[in-house]
Amino acid sequence: MQRVVVITPPERVVNLDQAKQHLRVDGDDDDALIAAFIDAATGHIDGPDGWLGRAIGEQTLEAGLDGFIYDPITLPYPPVIAVTDIVYDDTAGVERTLDPAVYEIRDGVIGTAWGKSWPSTRAYRGSSRSVRIRYRAGYDTVPAPIVVAILLMVGDMYRNRETAGVGTLSAVPMSVSVDALLGPFRVYT
């Protein structure tokens, strides 16, 4: 089982000026509010906690595994840019860095190199992180549909600042347009 944590979060993929232009806001009074909406919209869809199941902005992630129990190992939250390093706890519990000659990487999938095998790792009771794979993921250039979806979400939050109105109680759902824009990018696991 992989557990993934964010080591270095991404920069904003939609900046304040883009959002203000989309909202047709000229003044600076709502800048903090709009920035919070950008962060909320992006956080809702990006990275390990996001609805899309992928990394949007470039970020450093670390996947923890119970050991080298899979071959190949598929890294979650694509697109994978590069693997930084793989460290593991050997059978004595000593942290070691895996020699890159032991593995190959293709399209976010790590497998053993020809004639090589994974080293043995320390066994723990219950789940562990005896193997830790640190990697960079996200888009160099975020696809336009994702940027537009974030802008639409920011617009929805800016115009509908409450999830409930007088006499009614209803959640503000993700719009059909946002769902349609993001659907092709969603990773289902």
Side-chain angles (χ1 to χ4, degrees), residues 10-30:
E11 297 288 322
R12 282 190 182 134
V13 298
V14 170
N15 65 43
L16 184 61
D17 290 336
Q18 287 173 299
K20 287 173 70 171
Q21 182 180 12
H22 172 74
L23 297 171
R24 297 185 180 108
V25 172
D26 293 325
D28 298 335
D29 293 347
D30 287 343

Side-chain angles (χ1 to χ4, degrees), residues 162-170:
E162 303 294 331
T163 58
V166 176
T168 63
L169 184 61
S170 63

Side-chain angles (χ1 to χ4, degrees), residues 4 12 22 26 37 50-51 55-56 71 78 83 89 92 100 112 127 136 144 153 155 161 171 173:
V4 179
R12 282 190 182 134
H22 172 74
D26 293 325
F37 290 156
W51 181 83
I56 298 171
D71 191 7
V83 171
D89 299 335
T112 51
S127 61
R136 290 187 359 263
M153 290 167 56
R161 298 191 189 186

Side-chain angles (χ1 to χ4, degrees), residues 52-181:
L52 278 181
R54 73 171 52 248
I56 298 171
E58 188 174 323
Q59 55 198 280
T60 303
L61 302 174
E62 185 176 271
L65 297 93
D66 294 335
F68 292 110
I69 54 178
Y70 302 105
D71 191 7
I73 299 167
T74 301
L75 292 173
Y77 311 108
V80 173
I81 298 167
V83 171
T84 308
D85 63 9
I86 300 175
V87 296
Y88 65 98
D89 299 335
D90 69 11
T91 55
V94 176
E95 183 177 282
R96 302 203 181 270
T97 301
L98 188 62
D99 180 354
V102 172
Y103 58 92
E104 299 173 334
I105 305 163
R106 288 194 190 104
D107 299 322
V109 177
I110 305 170
T112 51
W114 183 257
K116 304 290 183 177
S117 60
W118 297 122
S120 296
T121 60
R122 183 166 189 167
Y124 294 93
R125 281 188 218 152
S127 61
S128 73
R129 289 174 44 89
S130 60
V131 175
R132 293 161 306 282
I133 303 170
R134 193 166 284 198
Y135 63 104
R136 290 187 359 263
Y139 292 100
D140 289 329
T141 302
V142 178
I146 295 174
V147 171
V148 171
I150 292 170
L151 289 170
L152 289 172
M153 290 167 56
V154 168
D156 287 345
M157 287 185 273
Y158 189 76
R159 286 175 186 80
N160 303 298
R161 298 191 189 186
E162 303 294 331
T163 58
V166 176
T168 63
L169 184 61
S170 63
V172 178
M174 191 180 315
S175 76
V176 172
S177 298
V178 169
D179 195 19
L181 288 166

